[in-house]
Every structure is written in C-alpha cells, then in structure tokens.
Amino acid sequence: MALQLNDLAPDFTQDSTEGPLNFYDWAGDSWVVLFSHPKDFTPVCTTELGAAAKLKPEFDRRGVKIIGLSVDASDSHAGWSRDIEETQGARLNFPLIADHDRKVSDLYGMIHPKASDTFTVRSVFVIDPARKVRLTLTYPASTGRNFDEILRVVDSIQLTDKHKVATPVNWKHGEDVIIVPSVSNEAAKALFPAGWDEKKPYLRYVKQPG
Ligand code: BEZ
C-alpha cells in the first residue's frame, strides 16, 4: 500500500551523487524533503533541480535537508549535473539518489504502472525528524513542481507542530492563522492573550504565533 500520512518513512541505502547513502544516517535529526524525477536528461526535471539548488538556503533555514531521486546510475547523474549547472546556473548542492534498480522507488511507491512501468512519477515526501511522513504529493511527469509551495507547507507543518493553530487557504508565513476547533474559548484566552477575531464560533483568526 502507498505510504500514508504519519507512516514511518522507510530506511534505505542506495548510490547517490555523493556516494553510497544511508537515508536515516544522512537525515540525522533534520526534516527531509525527498522528491523523485522520472529520468535523467529530461527537460522538466532539469529545471526543477536547478530551482531546488537555488532554494537550498531557504530549506536550510527551516532545518530541512533536500534529496532528489532519479532512476539512473550515478555516472549518468554526474553528466546530467553538469548540464543542470550549465543551463540553470546552479550547481547541485544536495544528493541525487541513483535508483538504478528502483529499490527506493518501489519502497516509496514512486512508480505508478498506469502512468509508466519504468519512470517514476513526480513524488514529494516531507518527512519530520521522527521519520514520519507529513506530506505526500504526486504530480504527473509532464508538470514541474512548485518548490515555493513545498516551502510554504513546511512552514505550515512546523508552525502547527508548535502551536494549536491551523493555516487557512493560501496562507503564507506571517499571515493570520486559525485557532484549531479542539481549543475552547476558555483555553484560547490563555494561549492567545492578545485575543482573536471570531467570524464564527468555529472560525477564529489569530496573529501568527512565534
Ligand atoms: C521531463 O522531465 O521533462 C519529462 C519527463 C517525462 C515526461 C515528460 C517530461
């Protein structure tokens, strides 16, 4: 069965652009964003990897390590990395798993046979320091992902882990959030002493805490 939210992210050891990599050892106590690419030397993936490399400082700031995967061998990845640097103006600054035998792709359900027997779809997994899967996304091979959206979700998950709030539609860091329904008004007074804007008893906006 496909990995579901709060499942334990499976461990693995596989080749990568940074040599053999054990996932749990590499992740340490960081958050992780793991994302798959259908194949090396494909145009959409090339743009995604360049964009991810440019955004790495933003992931670093949030305590998140990023790691890509493509179902080719590491010598192919090395040639592709040169093309990524040349065309996207950014050098790969995170590991790219060389999943030549599809070990990791199968473990994480990244191959969807009705889409392709051989290529992975564009999967994204956000994994927390306890190794729990906190977000899954699946895009078709022809659609490049929005890495700003992945950062936005990380911001939301990290905020809601710390405070009894949820984030509304299209929320971005710094905007008002919502007090979760399980918090009574009595409890909310202690948690949010500056008060909140109650549109309905179940819809209470509050300034972003923290
Ligand atoms: C790409 O990465 O460009 C791509 C891969 C498979 C199908 C379509 C596009």
Side-chain angles (χ1 to χ4, degrees), residues 78-117:
W80 190 26
S81 302
R82 288 191 287 276
D83 285 4
I84 292 164
E85 186 170 1
E86 180 190 327
T87 62
Q88 307 303 306
R91 194 187 182 87
L92 267 194
N93 47 13
F94 55 88
L96 186 59
I97 297 163
D99 200 31
H100 49 89
D101 56 4
R102 294 167 174 65
K103 181 167 72 182
V104 182
S105 308
D106 286 339
L107 202 52
Y108 277 76
M110 293 164 166
I111 295 198
H112 295 199
K114 287 178 189 150
S116 166
D117 281 337

Short mmCIF file of all heavy atoms in Angstrom, two decimals, residues 78-117:
data_model
loop_
_atom_site.label_atom_id
_atom_site.label_comp_id
_atom_site.label_asym_id
_atom_site.label_seq_id
_atom_site.Cartn_x
_atom_site.Cartn_y
_atom_site.Cartn_z
N ALA A 78 26.12 12.21 -12.92
CA ALA A 78 27.27 13.13 -12.95
C ALA A 78 27.23 13.97 -14.23
O ALA A 78 27.43 15.20 -14.20
CB ALA A 78 28.57 12.35 -12.84
N GLY A 79 26.94 13.33 -15.37
CA GLY A 79 26.85 14.07 -16.63
C GLY A 79 25.68 15.04 -16.62
O GLY A 79 25.79 16.18 -17.08
N TRP A 80 24.56 14.58 -16.07
CA TRP A 80 23.36 15.44 -16.02
C TRP A 80 23.61 16.66 -15.13
O TRP A 80 23.19 17.78 -15.45
CB TRP A 80 22.19 14.60 -15.52
CG TRP A 80 20.86 15.25 -15.62
CD1 TRP A 80 20.47 16.22 -16.51
CD2 TRP A 80 19.72 14.96 -14.81
NE1 TRP A 80 19.16 16.55 -16.30
CE2 TRP A 80 18.67 15.79 -15.27
CE3 TRP A 80 19.47 14.08 -13.75
CZ2 TRP A 80 17.40 15.77 -14.70
CZ3 TRP A 80 18.21 14.04 -13.19
CH2 TRP A 80 17.19 14.88 -13.66
N SER A 81 24.34 16.44 -14.01
CA SER A 81 24.64 17.56 -13.09
C SER A 81 25.35 18.69 -13.83
O SER A 81 25.09 19.87 -13.58
CB SER A 81 25.55 17.11 -11.95
OG SER A 81 24.97 16.08 -11.24
N ARG A 82 26.25 18.31 -14.74
CA ARG A 82 26.98 19.35 -15.50
C ARG A 82 26.00 20.14 -16.37
O ARG A 82 26.09 21.36 -16.48
CB ARG A 82 28.09 18.70 -16.34
CG ARG A 82 29.27 18.22 -15.50
CD ARG A 82 30.47 17.83 -16.35
NE ARG A 82 30.28 16.57 -17.07
CZ ARG A 82 30.50 15.36 -16.55
NH1 ARG A 82 30.93 15.24 -15.31
NH2 ARG A 82 30.30 14.27 -17.28
N ASP A 83 25.04 19.42 -16.98
CA ASP A 83 24.03 20.12 -17.80
C ASP A 83 23.16 21.04 -16.94
O ASP A 83 22.80 22.14 -17.38
CB ASP A 83 23.10 19.09 -18.48
CG ASP A 83 23.75 18.38 -19.65
OD1 ASP A 83 24.96 18.63 -19.88
OD2 ASP A 83 23.06 17.60 -20.31
N ILE A 84 22.83 20.59 -15.74
CA ILE A 84 21.98 21.40 -14.85
C ILE A 84 22.70 22.70 -14.52
O ILE A 84 22.13 23.80 -14.61
CB ILE A 84 21.61 20.60 -13.58
CG1 ILE A 84 20.67 19.44 -13.94
CG2 ILE A 84 20.96 21.52 -12.52
CD1 ILE A 84 20.55 18.37 -12.88
N GLU A 85 23.98 22.58 -14.20
CA GLU A 85 24.76 23.79 -13.87
C GLU A 85 24.83 24.72 -15.09
O GLU A 85 24.64 25.94 -14.97
CB GLU A 85 26.15 23.39 -13.39
CG GLU A 85 26.93 24.57 -12.89
CD GLU A 85 28.23 24.17 -12.18
OE1 GLU A 85 28.53 22.96 -12.08
OE2 GLU A 85 28.92 25.09 -11.73
N GLU A 86 25.09 24.12 -16.24
CA GLU A 86 25.24 24.94 -17.45
C GLU A 86 23.93 25.65 -17.82
O GLU A 86 23.93 26.84 -18.14
CB GLU A 86 25.69 24.02 -18.61
CG GLU A 86 25.89 24.75 -19.91
CD GLU A 86 26.09 23.77 -21.07
OE1 GLU A 86 26.67 22.68 -20.87
OE2 GLU A 86 25.63 24.09 -22.18
N THR A 87 22.81 24.93 -17.76
CA THR A 87 21.55 25.52 -18.27
C THR A 87 20.77 26.30 -17.20
O THR A 87 20.02 27.20 -17.54
CB THR A 87 20.62 24.44 -18.86
OG1 THR A 87 20.26 23.52 -17.81
CG2 THR A 87 21.29 23.71 -20.00
N GLN A 88 20.92 25.93 -15.93
CA GLN A 88 20.10 26.56 -14.88
C GLN A 88 20.91 27.53 -14.02
O GLN A 88 20.36 28.21 -13.16
CB GLN A 88 19.48 25.48 -13.96
CG GLN A 88 18.71 24.41 -14.70
CD GLN A 88 17.60 24.98 -15.56
OE1 GLN A 88 16.75 25.73 -15.08
NE2 GLN A 88 17.61 24.64 -16.84
N GLY A 89 22.23 27.56 -14.21
CA GLY A 89 23.07 28.48 -13.44
C GLY A 89 23.14 28.12 -11.98
O GLY A 89 23.32 29.01 -11.13
N ALA A 90 22.95 26.86 -11.66
CA ALA A 90 23.03 26.43 -10.25
C ALA A 90 23.62 25.03 -10.20
O ALA A 90 23.22 24.15 -10.97
CB ALA A 90 21.64 26.42 -9.61
N ARG A 91 24.58 24.88 -9.29
CA ARG A 91 25.25 23.58 -9.14
C ARG A 91 24.45 22.74 -8.16
O ARG A 91 23.94 23.28 -7.17
CB ARG A 91 26.64 23.87 -8.55
CG ARG A 91 27.61 22.75 -8.61
CD ARG A 91 28.87 23.15 -7.81
NE ARG A 91 29.85 22.09 -7.91
CZ ARG A 91 30.72 21.99 -8.89
NH1 ARG A 91 30.77 22.90 -9.83
NH2 ARG A 91 31.55 20.97 -8.92
N LEU A 92 24.31 21.43 -8.42
CA LEU A 92 23.61 20.55 -7.47
C LEU A 92 24.32 20.62 -6.12
O LEU A 92 25.52 20.32 -6.04
CB LEU A 92 23.64 19.11 -7.95
CG LEU A 92 22.49 18.56 -8.80
CD1 LEU A 92 22.57 17.06 -8.87
CD2 LEU A 92 21.14 19.01 -8.28
N ASN A 93 23.61 21.02 -5.09
CA ASN A 93 24.23 21.18 -3.76
C ASN A 93 23.54 20.29 -2.73
O ASN A 93 23.52 20.58 -1.55
CB ASN A 93 24.20 22.66 -3.34
CG ASN A 93 22.82 23.28 -3.55
OD1 ASN A 93 21.85 22.56 -3.78
ND2 ASN A 93 22.74 24.60 -3.45
N PHE A 94 22.95 19.21 -3.22
CA PHE A 94 22.31 18.20 -2.36
C PHE A 94 22.39 16.87 -3.12
O PHE A 94 22.61 16.87 -4.34
CB PHE A 94 20.85 18.60 -2.06
CG PHE A 94 20.03 18.85 -3.30
CD1 PHE A 94 19.36 17.82 -3.95
CD2 PHE A 94 19.96 20.13 -3.85
CE1 PHE A 94 18.62 18.05 -5.09
CE2 PHE A 94 19.21 20.37 -5.00
CZ PHE A 94 18.54 19.33 -5.62
N PRO A 95 22.23 15.74 -2.42
CA PRO A 95 22.41 14.47 -3.11
C PRO A 95 21.24 14.13 -4.05
O PRO A 95 20.10 14.49 -3.78
CB PRO A 95 22.50 13.44 -1.97
CG PRO A 95 22.15 14.14 -0.71
CD PRO A 95 22.05 15.60 -0.96
N LEU A 96 21.60 13.43 -5.11
CA LEU A 96 20.60 12.89 -6.04
C LEU A 96 20.79 11.37 -6.01
O LEU A 96 21.85 10.85 -6.38
CB LEU A 96 20.86 13.46 -7.44
CG LEU A 96 19.86 13.12 -8.54
CD1 LEU A 96 18.45 13.59 -8.18
CD2 LEU A 96 20.30 13.77 -9.86
N ILE A 97 19.78 10.67 -5.52
CA ILE A 97 19.86 9.21 -5.40
C ILE A 97 19.88 8.59 -6.79
O ILE A 97 19.12 9.00 -7.67
CB ILE A 97 18.65 8.67 -4.59
CG1 ILE A 97 18.68 9.22 -3.16
CG2 ILE A 97 18.62 7.15 -4.58
CD1 ILE A 97 17.36 9.10 -2.42
N ALA A 98 20.78 7.62 -6.98
CA ALA A 98 20.89 6.91 -8.26
C ALA A 98 20.14 5.59 -8.11
O ALA A 98 20.72 4.55 -7.77
CB ALA A 98 22.37 6.68 -8.58
N ASP A 99 18.84 5.63 -8.38
CA ASP A 99 17.98 4.47 -8.08
C ASP A 99 17.89 3.53 -9.29
O ASP A 99 16.80 3.23 -9.77
CB ASP A 99 16.60 4.98 -7.64
CG ASP A 99 15.83 3.93 -6.86
OD1 ASP A 99 16.47 3.12 -6.16
OD2 ASP A 99 14.59 3.91 -6.96
N HIS A 100 19.07 3.08 -9.74
CA HIS A 100 19.17 2.29 -10.98
C HIS A 100 18.38 1.00 -10.92
O HIS A 100 17.91 0.51 -11.94
CB HIS A 100 20.65 2.01 -11.28
CG HIS A 100 21.38 1.48 -10.09
ND1 HIS A 100 21.45 0.15 -9.80
CD2 HIS A 100 22.01 2.14 -9.07
CE1 HIS A 100 22.13 -0.01 -8.66
NE2 HIS A 100 22.47 1.18 -8.20
N ASP A 101 18.22 0.41 -9.70
CA ASP A 101 17.46 -0.84 -9.59
C ASP A 101 16.05 -0.60 -9.04
O ASP A 101 15.35 -1.55 -8.69
CB ASP A 101 18.21 -1.84 -8.69
CG ASP A 101 18.51 -1.26 -7.32
OD1 ASP A 101 18.07 -0.11 -7.04
OD2 ASP A 101 19.17 -1.94 -6.51
N ARG A 102 15.67 0.66 -8.91
CA ARG A 102 14.31 1.07 -8.47
C ARG A 102 13.97 0.61 -7.05
O ARG A 102 12.81 0.50 -6.68
CB ARG A 102 13.24 0.57 -9.46
CG ARG A 102 13.36 1.24 -10.82
CD ARG A 102 12.55 0.57 -11.89
NE ARG A 102 12.56 1.31 -13.14
CZ ARG A 102 13.62 1.51 -13.90
NH1 ARG A 102 14.80 1.05 -13.53
NH2 ARG A 102 13.53 2.18 -15.03
N LYS A 103 15.02 0.36 -6.28
CA LYS A 103 14.79 -0.11 -4.90
C LYS A 103 14.01 0.92 -4.08
O LYS A 103 13.01 0.60 -3.44
CB LYS A 103 16.17 -0.38 -4.25
CG LYS A 103 16.11 -0.89 -2.85
CD LYS A 103 17.46 -1.43 -2.41
CE LYS A 103 18.47 -0.32 -2.17
NZ LYS A 103 19.81 -0.83 -1.80
N VAL A 104 14.47 2.17 -4.14
CA VAL A 104 13.83 3.22 -3.34
C VAL A 104 12.48 3.60 -3.95
O VAL A 104 11.49 3.82 -3.25
CB VAL A 104 14.75 4.45 -3.22
CG1 VAL A 104 14.12 5.52 -2.35
CG2 VAL A 104 16.12 4.04 -2.68
N SER A 105 12.44 3.65 -5.28
CA SER A 105 11.18 3.99 -5.96
C SER A 105 10.07 3.02 -5.57
O SER A 105 8.93 3.43 -5.33
CB SER A 105 11.36 3.95 -7.48
OG SER A 105 12.45 4.70 -7.87
N ASP A 106 10.42 1.74 -5.49
CA ASP A 106 9.40 0.74 -5.11
C ASP A 106 9.02 0.88 -3.64
O ASP A 106 7.84 0.82 -3.28
CB ASP A 106 9.92 -0.68 -5.38
CG ASP A 106 9.93 -1.00 -6.87
OD1 ASP A 106 9.19 -0.33 -7.62
OD2 ASP A 106 10.67 -1.90 -7.28
N LEU A 107 10.04 1.11 -2.80
CA LEU A 107 9.79 1.23 -1.36
C LEU A 107 8.84 2.39 -1.06
O LEU A 107 7.99 2.32 -0.18
CB LEU A 107 11.15 1.48 -0.70
CG LEU A 107 11.42 1.18 0.75
CD1 LEU A 107 11.03 -0.24 1.12
CD2 LEU A 107 12.91 1.43 1.05
N TYR A 108 8.98 3.47 -1.82
CA TYR A 108 8.18 4.67 -1.57
C TYR A 108 6.99 4.80 -2.53
O TYR A 108 6.27 5.80 -2.49
CB TYR A 108 9.07 5.93 -1.69
CG TYR A 108 9.83 6.22 -0.41
CD1 TYR A 108 10.94 5.47 -0.05
CD2 TYR A 108 9.40 7.23 0.45
CE1 TYR A 108 11.62 5.72 1.13
CE2 TYR A 108 10.08 7.48 1.64
CZ TYR A 108 11.18 6.72 1.97
OH TYR A 108 11.84 6.98 3.14
N GLY A 109 6.77 3.77 -3.38
CA GLY A 109 5.61 3.83 -4.28
C GLY A 109 5.70 4.96 -5.28
O GLY A 109 4.69 5.59 -5.62
N MET A 110 6.91 5.18 -5.83
CA MET A 110 7.08 6.30 -6.77
C MET A 110 6.82 5.87 -8.22
O MET A 110 6.85 6.71 -9.12
CB MET A 110 8.51 6.83 -6.67
CG MET A 110 8.82 7.50 -5.35
SD MET A 110 10.60 7.67 -5.16
CE MET A 110 10.72 8.82 -3.80
N ILE A 111 6.64 4.56 -8.43
CA ILE A 111 6.32 4.11 -9.79
C ILE A 111 4.83 3.76 -9.83
O ILE A 111 4.36 2.96 -9.00
CB ILE A 111 7.20 2.92 -10.21
CG1 ILE A 111 8.64 3.41 -10.26
CG2 ILE A 111 6.73 2.33 -11.55
CD1 ILE A 111 9.63 2.59 -11.01
N HIS A 112 4.11 4.42 -10.70
CA HIS A 112 2.67 4.19 -10.84
C HIS A 112 2.48 3.53 -12.21
O HIS A 112 2.51 4.22 -13.24
CB HIS A 112 1.90 5.51 -10.75
CG HIS A 112 2.00 6.17 -9.41
ND1 HIS A 112 1.10 7.13 -8.98
CD2 HIS A 112 2.87 6.00 -8.38
CE1 HIS A 112 1.43 7.52 -7.75
NE2 HIS A 112 2.51 6.85 -7.37
N PRO A 113 2.30 2.21 -12.23
CA PRO A 113 2.33 1.47 -13.52
C PRO A 113 1.34 1.98 -14.55
O PRO A 113 1.59 1.86 -15.75
CB PRO A 113 2.02 0.03 -13.10
CG PRO A 113 2.39 -0.05 -11.67
CD PRO A 113 2.14 1.31 -11.08
N LYS A 114 0.23 2.58 -14.10
CA LYS A 114 -0.72 3.06 -15.11
C LYS A 114 -0.23 4.36 -15.76
O LYS A 114 -0.73 4.76 -16.81
CB LYS A 114 -2.10 3.25 -14.50
CG LYS A 114 -2.77 1.90 -14.22
CD LYS A 114 -4.12 2.04 -13.57
CE LYS A 114 -4.60 0.67 -13.12
NZ LYS A 114 -5.45 0.72 -11.94
N ALA A 115 0.76 5.01 -15.12
CA ALA A 115 1.39 6.19 -15.75
C ALA A 115 2.61 5.73 -16.55
O ALA A 115 2.79 6.12 -17.70
CB ALA A 115 1.81 7.19 -14.69
N SER A 116 3.46 4.89 -15.95
CA SER A 116 4.63 4.34 -16.66
C SER A 116 5.18 3.17 -15.84
O SER A 116 5.25 3.24 -14.62
CB SER A 116 5.72 5.40 -16.80
OG SER A 116 6.94 4.78 -17.18
N ASP A 117 5.57 2.10 -16.55
CA ASP A 117 6.16 0.94 -15.87
C ASP A 117 7.59 1.20 -15.43
O ASP A 117 8.12 0.49 -14.58
CB ASP A 117 6.21 -0.26 -16.84
CG ASP A 117 4.85 -0.92 -16.95
OD1 ASP A 117 4.06 -0.77 -16.02
OD2 ASP A 117 4.61 -1.57 -17.99
#
